[in-house]
Amino acid sequence: MQIEGITPRPMREAAELSPSKKQDETKLKQACEQFESLFLTQMLKEMKKSIPKSESEGSKEKDTYEDMMYDEVAKSMAASGGVGMANVLYQQMKELL
């Protein structure tokens, strides 16, 4: 009787991807997405500054609400792929784990 599909190589690969390494990779991916989210938030806020304001606009409450909205939009963008910065950072930093 011969058992197919069992070779030492997959076992080595499984040992390399121990739970702690998988957890580290998950944490790294989350950190990269958070970094991209911060970058996108700053980008959106700078873009907002380029829009001319009328004299009747600009209450503190509105500005606070818009800042919160930009934060959430940036988080959503980063979680759905964003501009690709998180993926590039993740691929480069994953090798350092």
Side-chain angles (χ1 to χ4, degrees):
M1 180 173 166
Q2 186 177 16
I3 299 174
E4 294 183 26
I6 298 178
T7 62
R9 183 176 178 149
M11 294 180 121
R12 267 188 261 130
E13 290 173 3
E16 289 175 7
L17 291 175
S18 63
S20 64
K21 186 165 183 171
K22 286 182 182 179
Q23 289 174 349
D24 289 346
E25 287 181 0
T26 302
K27 288 179 184 179
L28 176 62
K29 189 167 189 104
Q30 290 172 347
C32 291
E33 283 182 7
Q34 289 173 356
F35 181 80
E36 183 173 12
S37 174
L38 288 172
F39 174 79
L40 291 171
T41 299
Q42 286 304 114
M43 185 180 74
L44 291 170
K45 287 179 181 179
E46 289 300 315
M47 289 170 60
K48 176 186 166 189
K49 290 179 184 178
S50 69
I51 301 171
K53 287 187 179 181
S54 67
E55 292 181 18
S56 62
E57 289 185 41
S59 71
K60 291 241 184 223
E61 294 82 10
K62 182 182 176 202
D63 289 341
T64 301
Y65 175 77
E66 285 179 348
D67 286 346
M68 292 185 331
M69 181 190 70
Y70 290 137
D71 288 342
E72 292 304 313
V73 168
K75 285 178 190 175
S76 176
M77 288 172 66
S80 64
V83 293
M85 180 186 294
N87 189 37
V88 170
L89 286 172
Y90 174 75
Q91 294 301 324
Q92 290 183 356
M93 296 180 79
K94 181 173 75 168
E95 296 173 8
L96 301 174
L97 291 177

